[in-house]
Amino acid sequence: MFWLTCLLVATFGFVHLEELFAQISPTQRQVIYSRDSFLALLLNHIYLVSIAAIISICVGVISAIFVTRSYGKEFLPLVSQVASMGQTFPPIAVLALSVPLLGFGTLPTILALTLYGLLPIVRNTLAGIQGVNPAVLESAKGMGMSSIQVLWRVELPLSSTVILSGIRTSITINIATAAIGSTIGASTLGDPVISGLVNGNTAYVIQGAILIGLLALTTDSFLERLQQKLIVKHSLM
Amino acid sequence: MFRLGIDKVMFVLTTASLLSLILLDFVSLQPNRILPGTGHSIVSSVGWGYALLIILPLLFNLFLSFSFRKASSIQRYSFQLLMLILVFLFMPMLLAIFATQHISETQIHARTGLGSAFWVLLFLTSLSLIELKQKLNLSRLKICFLIILITFSWLFFYITAQLDTLAIVREYTARSVQFQQAFRVHLYLVCAAVMSSIVLSTLLVMLMRRHHVFEKAIFPLLNFIQTIPSLALFGLLIAPLGYLAANSEWLQSINVGGIGWAPAMIALIAYSLLPMVRNTYVALNEVDASVIDAAKGMGMSPLEVFLQVRLPLAMPIILEGIRITTIQAIGLTAVAALIGAGGLGNFIFQGLGQAAMDMVLLGALPILFMALMADLFFSTLMSLFSHQDKTSRESQ
C-alpha cells in the first residue's frame, strides 16, 4: 500500500514539482516530461506487462501440465531443459532479436516479454507439480478421484505457492524489460528515461526512473502479499 | 514383437523444421544495409541439388523417429545425431553457395540476410540436439567437441571469404575495430563487476556469520535493490554521481561522472550482491553439522574446518551464485550502454536507432554467445566440484 501511494503521488505530483526539477537540470528549458502524461505511460506499461503475463501464465502452466501427464511425458526432458537454459539468455538480447522478426512497436515488445516470462513460470510449475508427494497422489486416486480432479484439487493447489513465486519472478523481470522496450518503440515509462538520456536532460531521467522503480516495488509487494496469503491458507488446510 | 512406436519429440521437431523450410524464406538478398531484401526459399536460393543436402538428413531423421522393429534405440539416436551434425555443417555451406550464385564481386553493398526459415531451422535443430544429448547421455566433453566442430565449419567458410556477403559479416568488417573494443569493454565491465562483488559478498557473508543481526538488515536491502528495474537504477545513479563528480576534481580525474562506467559499475555490483550473498550464506550454513563435528573431532582447527570441510562442501552452491551473477551482469552491461558505459549494447541501441537490423544482431548475438559460454564454464566447474565430492565419498 505504501508503494502504491508513492506511485500515485509521483504519477500525479511530478507535474507540480517544476521548480525542484529545474534545479536538477538548470540548463534545460523544459523539465517536466510532457510528450505523454505520466498516467498514460504508466497505464500502457501496466497494460504491456499484464498482457504478456496473462499469455505466459496460460501457456506456461498449460504446457507444464501437458508434459507432466502420461501423454506428454516424452516432452518433459526437453521442456525442462529449455526452460532452465533459456534463462541464460539476457532479456535485452531477446528484446533486440524480436525486432528483426516483427519490426518496431508494441507487438515485438509483448512477444519478447511473453517468451521470456514463460521460462520461470514453466520451470516453477514443473518443480511444483513434480514436488507433490507421490503418496498424496496415490491416496487421491484411491479415493476415486478422476485424473482431472487429481490435477485440479490436489496437484495445482499443492504447487500453487511455487507457481506463484515463478509468476512473481516473471513479472519483476518483465517490468524491467518493458522499460527497455521503449527503445524499440513501445510507449512505456522507459520513454522519459531514454529521451532524457538522449537529450542530456537529467530531470526526465529521474522522473522516469522513479516511476519505474515505484511500479516495480508496488507490484512486487502486492505479489508478496498474495504469496503470504496463499501460504497461510495452506497451513490452515 | 512387432510394434509401431513413434518418438514424438523428434517427430514434432523434424516435421516443424521441414515445414519451416518449405513455407518460410531461407535467405534474403538485400541491395544494401537498410533496404529490405527479397526473400528466397531454400530451393529457389540454391537449387534442388544443394537444398537436398539439408532436406535429406531431415527426412532421414523423420524416418528414424518411427521404430518399426525393436532396433537398438541408442543406435537410432546416434544416427539422428549424425544427421543433425550434417545439417549444422551444411548450413554455412549453403549460404556460401547462395552468395556465389546471386551476388557478383561488383555489388559491394549487396548482402545476404538470414531468413526466418534459417533461424527457425537453427532453433529447432538446436532443440533436437539438446533432446538427443539427454537421450544419449552425452558427456560435456563430447558436447564441447561438437560445438567446436560446428564453429570450425563456420570459421572455415568465413576465413576462405565465402561468407563475406553475409549481412552480419559485412557489418562486422565495416566496424571490426569498434567491435573488438566494445567486446573488450563488455568483458572488462562484467569481469570487474563480478570480481568486486565476490570480494564484497565475502565480506558481507563474514560479517553476517559473525553477527546474525546483520542478516535482518542485509537481505531485505539486497532484495529491495534486486526489485528495482535496471533502467531505473541506472537512471537514479546519474544525478548523484554527476553532482559528486562536478564537485570533486579527483573523481573527474578518474573519469567518474553521471554517465559512463561509474554508474554502470555501481549498479552491476549492487545487482550482483543478492544472488552471491544469498547462495554463499545459505551454502555455508547448510553444511551438515555432523560433518563439522566429525572434522572437529579429528582435531582440525576452526580455520582448517572452514577451508578443508565447510568451504569445499558449499562450493557448488557458491559457484551457482557466481554463475547467476555473471550471466545477469552480461545482460545488464548491455543495458548500461544506454548510460554511456560502452560495450556490445552500443551496437544494439545504435542499430535500433538506425533501423539497421544487422547491427542489432552484431550486438545481440555475441551477448547471447557470451552468456552461454559463461553458463557452460560455470556448470563445468560446478560438476567438477560435485564430482570430487562423489569420488571422495566413494573412496571413504
Side-chain angles (χ1 to χ4, degrees), chain B residues 344-393:
Chain B
L344 291 166
N346 262 346
F347 289 112
I348 295 184
F349 295 118
Q350 274 177 34
L352 288 175
Q354 303 169 5
M357 287 310 126
D358 305 325
M359 199 164 165
V360 177
L361 287 183
L362 187 65
L365 290 180
I367 291 174
L368 271 186
F369 182 74
M370 223 188 245
L372 285 176
M373 286 299 112
D375 183 52
L376 194 67
F377 174 75
F378 282 108
S379 44
T380 312
L381 214 60
M382 264 152 66
S383 72
L384 277 182
F385 265 95
S386 39
H387 195 67
Q388 211 177 34
D389 253 21
K390 259 180 237 152
T391 49
S392 66
R393 241 176 257 153

Side-chain angles (χ1 to χ4, degrees), chain B residues 256-276:
Chain B
V256 168
I259 58 168
W261 66 270
M265 203 61 184
I266 294 175
L268 283 177
I269 294 174
Y271 280 126
S272 302
L273 282 177
L274 178 71
M276 216 132 41

Side-chain angles (χ1 to χ4, degrees), chain A residues 5 11 229:
Chain A
T5 325
T11 311
K229 265 192 194 151

Side-chain angles (χ1 to χ4, degrees), chain A residues 16 23 39 114 154 216 227 233:
Chain A
H16 308 294
Q23 282 175 351
L39 184 65
T114 310
V154 181
Q227 228 172 350
K233 204 174 123 194

Side-chain angles (χ1 to χ4, degrees), chain A residues 19-35:
Chain A
E19 282 172 28
L20 181 73
F21 285 115
Q23 282 175 351
I24 292 170
S25 41
T27 49
Q28 297 287 337
R29 225 170 341 120
Q30 198 176 8
V31 290
I32 302 289
Y33 186 79
S34 55
R35 205 170 303 154

Side-chain angles (χ1 to χ4, degrees), chain A residues 71 74 77-78 81 88 97, chain B residues 8-9 130-131 134 352 361 371:
Chain A
Y71 40 83
E74 283 184 56
L78 184 67
Q81 185 82 16
T88 49
L97 290 179
Chain B
K8 285 186 210 157
V9 182
I130 294 172
E131 170 72 10
Q134 284 182 324
L352 288 175
L361 287 183

